[in-house]
Amino acid sequence: MTRHRHSLIPLRIDGQPTRREVAHRRGWLGHALAFQGKDAQPGACGTWLRRCHSVVNLHRSVDIAFLGEDGTVIKVCAKVRPWEVVICRKASSALTLRRGLASRLGLRPGVPLDLHA
């Protein structure tokens, strides 16, 4: 199996640590594999995609939070179905999460996230 550049990073919401980690994908191949559900990172609750303002979901229903340059949530798209396209032109990155997790974590526009890789 080919290894692609990614790492696990802790997810902090509004300055508070959570027990969750997300995979950080780099490069176009890493993004493509994330949306196909391949090369999944064990222990990750989602994937953070930098330099991303549109998502084509290819694998299973997910939640997607679009983030601004400062890491603040701009838009949350819940239960994005396979082959559905979502766009947020103002976003600088996107965080894909397991279906229903965005709501459980309290993610909504204006909530600051801290994702350092």
Side-chain angles (χ1 to χ4, degrees), residues 11-93:
L11 174 63
R12 295 174 59 93
I13 301 172
D14 201 9
Q16 300 301 312
T18 68
R19 290 197 237 177
R20 302 187 185 272
E21 294 180 310
V22 296
H24 176 215
R25 297 287 181 158
R26 297 178 181 98
W28 68 269
L29 185 56
H31 287 215
L33 291 173
F35 292 120
Q36 292 179 14
K38 296 181 179 177
D39 197 30
Q41 183 73 18
C45 69
T47 303
W48 179 40
L49 306 167
R50 291 171 70 170
R51 293 184 296 278
C52 181
H53 69 271
S54 63
V55 174
V56 179
N57 182 29
L58 298 177
H59 185 56
R60 63 186 173 285
S61 185
V62 296
D63 293 346
I64 300 171
F66 288 101
L67 311 175
E69 283 290 328
D70 63 355
T72 300
V73 176
I74 296 173
K75 178 180 178 181
V76 177
C77 301
K79 301 176 185 171
V80 177
R81 296 168 301 189
W83 297 105
E84 188 174 350
V85 178
V86 290
I87 298 170
C88 181
R89 298 216 185 275
K90 295 180 182 179
S92 65
S93 65

